[in-house]
Amino acid sequence: MAALGNQGTVTEAAGFNPEDDSKRLREAMKGAGTNEATIIEILAHRTIAQRQSIKEAFKRSVGKDLPDELRSELTGNFEKVVLGLLMPAPVYDAYELRNAIKGAGTDEACLIEILASRTNDEIRALRTCYKTEYDRDLEEDICGDTSGMFCRVLVSLLTAGRDESTTVNEVQAVQDAKELYEAGEARWGTDEVKFLTVLCVRNRNHLLQVFEEYRKISGRDIEDSIKREMSGCLEDVLLAIVRCMKSKTGFFAERLYKSMKGLGTTDSILIRVMVSRAEIDMVDIKAEFLKMYGKTLYSFIKGDTSGDYRKILLELCGGEK
């Protein structure tokens, strides 16, 4: 999947000077009213690493935390995007997971999206951040908030134990496909553990081969079988894993599309995907979005959001094309 070079819409700003940026941000918040245009111009065009330097420069020169200052000036979804941009990636993931778990009810879709799509290193980093930021164990929190096989799949993903090599064992791939078929379509009731063992542990290239073999054996796409055999959150998490293996950018394009189509916008998903992927693969997600839905991501965001919230998302989207 790794493309050459950066596939993000946000790249390092040339001639970067954190002191200058910090000073401009301070001026944007001084006096009555806030200059949102300056905030967007700076924060949507700096990398995460550059934003950390701006935060340090701001604290040095003002003696206050930049996120706290912005929090007191901004509101709503625009504030959420800005504060998200100021967090290092694993801190942002940990923050989103904590919000998904705490309080009444659980945002299972958030748990699924993050844990099914991150690399082993990213999962290890977000676990550490979760512990540091909240003095809590993420696995314990997830086990306290979810149950059954859904919980077991999330815990397996949390171990960051997926094989990340590119080796395909042909014999094993056929065997895996056969066992998945026998665990689902070919029997009464479903042996869900087999799905967990194969989908949460094998590497991407191997799984693509398994999906191919599965189609030969069953005459069906693995996604169709999961939909027939599973339900609820377990179905959702297994489908997310399969889709991330087939195409991670396709997975995120679909998340963005579903967050905006129909009545109302699921802003939490829209914000999380735009903030977390802007520096990684947003260029590819945009291309995939256009291919899948025949419209640009830019036009979707433009039609579905408004005000400064729209402006900053469009900057992160990186233009019409």
Side-chain angles (χ1 to χ4, degrees), residues 172-196:
Q172 184 68 56
V174 174
Q175 184 64 24
D176 283 345
K178 208 160 113 219
E179 288 183 8
L180 286 178
Y181 178 64
E182 284 162 6
E185 291 280 358
R187 58 174 281 172
W188 185 255
T190 310
D191 174 7
E192 293 141 339
V193 178
K194 183 43 75 178
F195 279 82
L196 182 159

Side-chain angles (χ1 to χ4, degrees), residues 31-86:
T34 309
N35 184 345
E36 285 88 357
T38 301
I39 294 171
I40 295 168
E41 185 199 326
I42 294 173
L43 296 183
H45 296 279
R46 305 290 182 271
T47 59
I48 296 169
Q50 289 179 328
R51 292 182 206 123
Q52 303 318 300
S53 303
I54 295 170
K55 269 161 60 176
E56 285 158 21
F58 192 91
K59 199 165 191 171
R60 262 198 315 271
S61 58
V62 186
K64 286 181 173 175
D65 279 322
L66 177 58
D68 292 344
E69 291 299 285
L70 287 163
R71 204 176 274 119
S72 66
E73 295 284 331
L74 312 175
T75 57
N77 289 322
F78 178 57
E79 178 195 350
K80 286 177 187 157
V81 176
V82 168
L83 294 177
L85 289 172
L86 287 171

Side-chain angles (χ1 to χ4, degrees), residues 21-39:
D21 284 347
S22 154
K23 186 163 169 259
R24 288 180 63 209
L25 285 169
R26 199 165 78 243
E27 281 163 5
M29 293 185 276
K30 257 196 201 143
T34 309
N35 184 345
E36 285 88 357
T38 301
I39 294 171

Side-chain angles (χ1 to χ4, degrees), residues 113-132:
E113 178 197 300
I114 292 177
L115 297 180
S117 66
R118 303 302 190 252
T119 63
N120 288 346
D121 283 348
E122 286 168 342
I123 287 173
R124 280 190 282 267
L126 72 83
R127 279 189 79 150
T128 305
C129 281
Y130 193 91
K131 184 80 183 148
T132 311

Side-chain angles (χ1 to χ4, degrees), residues 188-205:
W188 185 255
T190 310
D191 174 7
E192 293 141 339
V193 178
K194 183 43 75 178
F195 279 82
L196 182 159
T197 308
V198 174
L199 295 179
C200 296
V201 180
R202 308 278 193 257
N203 73 55
R204 177 172 180 262
N205 287 4

